[in-house]
Amino acid sequence: MSIYFVVGLTLLVSYLLGCFNGSVVTSHFIIRDDVRKHGSGNAGLTNFYRTYGAKYALIVIFCDMGKTVLSCLIGGYLMLCTNGGWTLGVLLGGIGCELGHMFPAYYGLKGGKGILSGGVLVWMLDWRMGLIAWGLFVLLWLLTRYVSLGSIAATASMPVSAFFVFHHDPLLTLLSAVVAALVIYCHRENIHRLLHGTEHKFRWHVNPINPDESDSK
């Protein structure tokens, strides 16, 4: 098979897997609601947790992590079979999954922001990238209680760490920058709120947060 065909196949399959959004599926089939009608309107884990509490959050985490792992494994295997390289395939699978998660064809292109998928992707690429990204996320999250700030910083670290971990490989660094750019783009409203001091801070809770109370924080 042509390597270009395999690249296209990897992106297509991983995109379709990425379209399976854990927040939307869980809210629709289990809670009988639509997470996108609440809070920020985003179909990501943070808005799901804020809207419904912790009861079903693990299902969302399992779905979104699982689809990313599967996408990366499929991409790595397909590329390895065509001498394209395991790491390149993992990264392409991750990109396709991120695109599906952010712009799902099943749900009117209205998905999540790709943080959980991206967080899995860095571990699939290299444990050192995972440590750097997750270390930044946890540090900033604990210091500021802003999930978005930790997410943005962690994402921005990806192409920088890829540059050094993959020995200045231009293609892997560029593709890592594409992932970072996509995630940061999806956080543009969060960046605006961070700059204006109106971003929501994370709050531990089991039950849903009252919408009026949440908006005042």
Side-chain angles (χ1 to χ4, degrees):
M1 289 188 294
S2 165
I3 191 169
Y4 298 106
F5 174 79
V6 172
V7 168
L9 181 62
T10 297
L11 291 173
L12 176 61
V13 172
S14 58
Y15 171 80
L16 294 175
L17 284 171
C19 288
F20 182 82
N21 186 288
S23 294
V24 175
V25 171
T26 303
S27 65
H28 180 75
F29 289 103
I30 298 179
I31 305 174
R32 300 298 179 182
D33 195 11
D34 188 342
V35 66
R36 296 168 297 175
K37 294 180 180 179
H38 304 280
S40 65
N42 182 257
L45 177 62
T46 300
N47 192 45
F48 183 94
Y49 178 66
R50 182 182 293 119
T51 302
Y52 303 115
K55 186 175 181 180
Y56 300 107
L58 283 178
I59 300 176
V60 177
I61 293 172
F62 176 80
C63 288
D64 289 347
M65 291 182 69
K67 72 183 183 184
T68 306
V69 170
L70 185 57
S71 296
C72 291
L73 291 177
I74 290 173
Y77 175 77
L78 288 176
M79 290 301 291
L80 196 61
C81 290
T82 56
N83 298 318
W86 173 267
T87 302
L88 177 59
V90 168
L91 191 45
L92 289 171
I95 290 175
C97 187
E98 287 277 45
L99 287 170
H101 183 78
M102 295 169 179
F103 313 107
Y106 311 151
Y107 311 115
L109 304 181
K110 190 177 181 182
K113 297 178 182 178
I115 283 300
L116 190 55
S117 294
V120 174
L121 173 58
V122 288
W123 285 115
M124 296 293 291
L125 287 169
D126 190 277
W127 65 269
R128 291 164 292 183
M129 293 178 64
L131 281 179
I132 293 170
W134 279 88
L136 279 172
F137 171 78
V138 171
L139 179 63
L140 288 173
W141 172 42
L142 292 177
L143 288 176
T144 68
R145 289 173 49 211
Y146 287 126
V147 173
S148 58
L149 181 60
S151 301
I152 293 166
T155 301
S157 75
M158 186 177 174
V160 178
S161 59
F163 179 77
F164 292 103
V165 167
F166 299 131
H167 309 292
H168 307 173
D169 186 297
L171 180 57
L172 296 179
T173 302
L174 176 62
L175 291 177
S176 297
V178 169
V179 175
L182 284 169
V183 175
I184 292 174
Y185 171 77
C186 288
H187 280 78
R188 60 194 182 280
E189 293 181 2
N190 300 88
I191 295 172
H192 181 269
R193 289 195 295 267
L194 284 167
L195 293 174
H196 290 81
T198 58
E199 177 70 326
H200 301 308
K201 289 190 175 183
F202 180 84
R203 294 177 55 194
W204 291 104
H205 63 283
V206 175
N207 298 315
I209 293 179
N210 184 288
D212 296 328
E213 182 184 356
S214 174
D215 290 342
S216 67
K217 299 298 182 181

